[in-house]
Amino acid sequence: MNILSRREVLGDLGRKVRFLLTASIAYTVLPPQSVDASTTRPQGEDMSMDDLSGSNDPYRLPRHVIPTRYDLRLEPDLTTGRFTGQTAILVTVKTATQTIFLNAVDLVLQSAMAEEKNRAPLKASIEMEQQTQRARLSFHEPIDPGEWTLTLLFEGTLNDKLRGFYRSTYKDASGATQTLAATQFEATDARRAFPCWDEPDFKAVFRTTLIIDPHLTAVSNTAVVSESIENNKKVVKFADSIKMSTYLVAFIVGQIEATKPVYVDKTPLRLWTIPGKQPLTSFGQDIAAASLKFFEDYYGISYPGDKLDLLAIPDFASGAMENFGAITFRETALLVDQRTGTHAELERIADVVAHENAHMWFGDLVTMSWWNGLWLNEAFATFMEMLAVDAWKPEWKRWDLFAVARAAAFSVDGLMSTRPIEFPVHAPKDADAMFDILTYEKGASVLRMLEQHIGPTIFRDGVRQYLRTHAYGNADTKDLWTALGTVARQPVPELMNGWIFQPGFPLVTAEIRGHELYLSQQRFTYLKQEPAAEQLWQIPIQVRLTIGDRTEHRRLLLTERETTIGLPAGVTSILVNEGGHGFYRVRHRGGLIEQLLGQGLDCLPAMERFNLISDAWATTLAGLMPIPDYLRLTARFTDERDRNVWTVLLDSFSFLNRIITPGDRAALEALVRDRVGPAVKDLGWDPKSRESDLIRQLRGDLIGALGKLGNDQATQRQAAERYQRYREDPATADANVVPALVAILAHVGDEARYDEFSERYRTASTPQEERRYLFSLAAFRTKEVLKRTLVRTINGEIRTQDAPFIVGALMMNVDGREQAWEFVKANWDQMDRQFPKQGLRRMCGGIAGLATPELEHDVQEFFTSRKIDLGGKTLEQYLEQLRVAVSFREREASTIHTAIARSLER
């Protein structure tokens, strides 16, 4: 699954990847039944009393009855919003029992019956356990060991919560409201659509039949094997699936249209949309085909399905979902007009499509045993999306942009309330909370670090061994380490377990002592911690020494608290974390930064410049670098033209904007104009001949910052003029600048502009345009229009997939945060009922913008008094992020104005 907030090349790796695309590789074709039972979870063996009763964890199912096949028959009624169903589940009973547990919630189970050959059917009484989301089936006679068929009749509601089997609505060309039905089962919501063993290691084969109105179309995980009309209904039967987990089952029903298939080897690949949006599919289909081919080459295993459909759903809580053979997407993550989409919007689609395709192997073919191992799915898909897109579009320099994602993971992992990548999961809400930046970005970052440490080819070969060994089964972290360690002939578990099973990451301090480079490690935290909290990592470190006009490279594994490296005579500069792939921050001390700056920033690759300024800002937040030193350092980057480096600079200025007092805002605006203005002047407003897409995107980013954070009136006037010309003739503005124009005009906009942008949101012709104008409504600053936006988040005018993110954005708006927070408190119960749970959780991340002592106290009081639990450690992390911001404000309050003023002196 791709979480919505995710935003998104080294030459040697790029050459290796391109070689993989062109080399002759023999694929392994794995038949669906070729499961090596010795390598999968031993289901049902060594039964204990816990196995029979449901284990000590009340949310886990017992192991004495194992499903192997579901024959699923569903009949959704889009008019009434109801569905009926029947499932015949082939189960293996390991131990005689009179009780069967399985998962079901929000369903009415009408009957349950167990059948065995040569024996009369046994009827069960049904008891629903709402708290644990289980159904208890009790039989008057024992069910003996062997194979049985469990048949259940049930019915349910097509809900509006964007989970389980739910309804999505849209307006057709005539303005009439149309409905389609779709599914979203990860992590634990298949149980809302049909009774099942809804845990990832209960893999089974699924055969689905959908009974629908004749004018509708149905899509599921596999190819259609027959269609017929019975009792004025269309009966659509689908082929058997591979052996897979329940959360990967999918069915979509509605008036939907498909592209003509393109074939990747023998696999037909199509994109599905609601009517009228087929012209927006070409880009998504291109990257879908390219990435599917790439993964077959990389993994050395043919795609294991009989077809691959990618479906754009109007209402969708996440970014996308890797249902096997029927991947579902939010429209903005799949559909785009290449003529009007920005580079960032195209990147986003490429990343998400590649991510979901990667899951067809990592996650679908081989699945984690339980949700604590979710990172095995999501971190690998995140890592693989970068490899695939980088191979497809090397000029996009995807690994450079990945540095931004790694820094985002640092921002959470530097909290005391962080968690290990692999973390205990009990209740369903804990599983939902695992879909976070630590699972995705931190997990992918440590994989990238390992790949660079042992070598890309060895890493790839280890991945192939892992997939072949555990195909159609389940695996755990140790299984991955075993495969990689065997191929690499290195102690991979000892190296990597610290990165996976303990929280946080190290700060490596580097300084020269005599003729040696001294390196030490300690856990990095934004807030002070007790010295007793000692942790150690095995850190792969690469050091580059510059000696005059030559360089030397040193590689070491830092396993102790500290170590030293002998230095040759004449060293002029030292860089720790060469290449920038290590998941650790570096504090260059004792003049090392000045040495690097002295040789010229242009001597450092973009990734290393990014790390230099990113590490400096992080240590400033942690109180390890004085704010005046950081602000002076930013002056060295006015000639910078790398978009990712500027991301750090602009994010740091935005943070300062949230924590300063109104009296200091004019000084900060002057600082932003000083730092950003020269770059905007150099780049201009219009693209130049042969200019890269990355520079075009940077231009838009910098213009937006100058007009908003810099409050530059000349930029604001020009934005208004250019936007007017753009409205008259869209060809007059580069697509990458248009979002900046919209953002600036919202920032300075009045009610008339708000009405204009509201109408543009309502009548947008592409998903990206709709999103652009929707989020602009959260950037206005007057109370009257902000109130209108807040009300629209709960009155149905804004889709529930988007509304929580709008509220979160308003809490980050320094002019509207108090108003937004009061609205949240007053309407929490309605939001809790109305918003998707994942959306509500993400909305609460906006409290980090409430960065005043008074608001922080109120936030703490609200969440404590209401006893709100967002699952996992999510709320703890949000509250600590707020504490970091307020603590910085309190610590620097007396010095920040002077620091800004002095940083402007030349």
Side-chain angles (χ1 to χ4, degrees), residues 481-697:
W481 296 159
T482 297
L484 290 170
T486 299
V487 173
R489 298 181 180 180
Q490 293 187 37
V492 170
E494 290 83 350
L495 169 65
M496 295 304 296
N497 280 344
W499 299 96
I500 303 301
F501 295 111
Q502 67 178 346
F505 63 91
L507 171 69
V508 173
T509 299
E511 58 183 316
I512 295 176
R513 294 183 179 179
H515 298 291
E516 293 181 321
L517 176 65
Y518 170 80
L519 299 173
S520 64
Q521 65 163 298
Q522 66 186 80
R523 180 175 172 180
F524 177 92
T525 57
Y526 292 106
L527 300 177
K528 300 295 183 183
Q529 63 167 321
E530 295 299 322
E534 297 289 348
Q535 293 176 236
L536 285 176
W537 289 262
Q538 294 196 15
I539 311 174
I541 293 180
Q542 298 188 50
V543 179
R544 184 173 65 243
L545 309 177
T546 302
I547 307 116
D549 58 356
R550 66 183 179 88
T551 58
E552 291 185 8
H553 308 273
R554 305 287 176 86
R555 295 168 62 96
L556 69 147
L557 191 65
L558 179 60
T559 60
E560 302 299 328
R561 181 69 54 200
E562 57 188 40
T563 192
T564 57
I565 300 174
L567 296 175
V571 172
T572 53
S573 70
I574 298 172
L575 180 80
V576 178
N577 197 13
E578 180 186 13
H581 303 296
F583 192 74
Y584 54 89
R585 294 225 179 256
V586 180
R587 186 184 183 195
H588 290 91
R589 298 187 65 184
L592 291 180
I593 285 185
E594 288 302 322
Q595 289 180 356
L596 291 168
L597 296 174
Q599 72 178 15
L601 284 171
D602 56 344
C603 294
L604 299 177
M607 181 93 75
E608 293 174 359
R609 300 197 304 274
F610 176 92
N611 279 358
L612 188 69
I613 191 66
S614 180
D615 290 345
W617 175 237
T619 52
T620 300
L621 283 178
L624 300 175
M625 184 179 200
I627 184 67
D629 290 357
Y630 174 76
L631 294 178
R632 282 194 298 270
L633 180 60
T634 64
R636 307 294 288 266
F637 288 85
T638 54
D639 292 331
E640 179 63 58
R641 296 297 178 267
D642 182 78
R643 170 189 168 202
N644 305 312
V645 175
W646 272 108
T647 296
V648 179
L649 294 164
L650 298 182
D651 282 352
S652 69
F653 298 153
S654 295
F655 177 88
L656 293 175
N657 188 52
R658 290 195 298 274
I659 63 96
I660 59 174
T661 64
D664 290 331
R665 187 147 287 121
L668 178 62
E669 290 168 353
L671 174 71
V672 173
R673 291 193 296 271
D674 181 79
R675 301 301 192 258
V676 178
V680 171
K681 183 178 180 180
D682 176 62
L683 293 173
W685 286 69
D686 299 306
K688 299 176 177 62
S689 176
R690 298 182 179 179
E691 191 174 62
S692 73
D693 291 338
L694 300 177
I695 290 294
R696 292 186 178 209
Q697 186 67 50

Side-chain angles (χ1 to χ4, degrees), residues 1-172:
M1 186 161 67
N2 186 281
I3 56 176
L4 187 64
S5 66
R6 295 190 53 241
R7 290 291 183 265
E8 347 299 340
V9 192
L10 299 175
D12 184 51
L13 178 61
R15 285 191 293 273
K16 287 187 170 106
V17 170
R18 286 190 290 277
F19 172 77
L20 286 175
L21 284 172
T22 56
S24 175
I25 296 177
Y27 298 153
T28 298
V29 180
L30 297 171
Q33 303 306 317
S34 63
V35 182
D36 182 354
S38 67
T39 64
T40 60
R41 180 189 174 98
Q43 298 172 325
E45 297 180 4
D46 301 322
M47 291 292 114
S48 66
M49 289 304 296
D50 288 341
D51 294 314
L52 299 178
S53 65
S55 103
N56 288 326
D57 187 337
Y59 294 97
R60 299 296 298 273
L61 293 172
R63 262 56 193 167
H64 66 296
V65 179
I66 308 298
T68 58
R69 180 184 183 87
Y70 294 76
D71 283 324
L72 184 61
R73 185 180 178 92
L74 287 163
E75 184 171 352
D77 188 327
L78 303 192
T79 302
T80 64
R82 302 282 299 171
F83 65 90
T84 58
Q86 173 182 311
T87 181
I89 309 172
L90 183 64
V91 299
T92 299
V93 178
K94 298 285 188 178
T95 303
T97 184
Q98 289 181 252
T99 304
I100 294 177
F101 291 90
L102 72 169
N103 294 115
V105 66
D106 296 341
L107 295 174
V108 175
L109 302 192
Q110 298 162 322
S111 66
M113 181 173 61
E115 297 177 87
E116 186 187 31
K117 289 182 180 179
N118 305 318
R119 183 169 176 175
L122 301 178
K123 292 185 178 180
S125 62
I126 303 169
E127 179 185 352
M128 302 298 290
E129 299 179 354
Q130 192 67 28
Q131 177 64 30
T132 57
Q133 301 182 357
R134 304 194 305 185
R136 176 196 293 261
L137 309 182
S138 300
F139 297 85
H140 294 295
E141 298 179 34
I143 298 178
D144 296 325
E147 283 198 345
W148 292 72
T149 298
L150 183 65
T151 302
L152 299 104
L153 299 180
F154 57 93
E155 63 179 23
T157 300
L158 295 171
N159 67 76
D160 59 359
K161 302 295 185 182
L162 310 190
R163 63 180 181 178
F165 200 10
Y166 72 91
R167 62 181 181 271
S168 173
T169 61
Y170 62 93
K171 297 289 181 66
D172 64 17

Side-chain angles (χ1 to χ4, degrees), residues 62 137 229 248 316 370 454 467 571 609 625 647 693 735 789 846 860:
L137 309 182
I229 300 296
L248 297 170
F316 199 77
W370 181 241
I454 65 176
L467 289 174
V571 172
R609 300 197 304 274
M625 184 179 200
T647 296
D693 291 338
T789 300
Q860 292 274 5

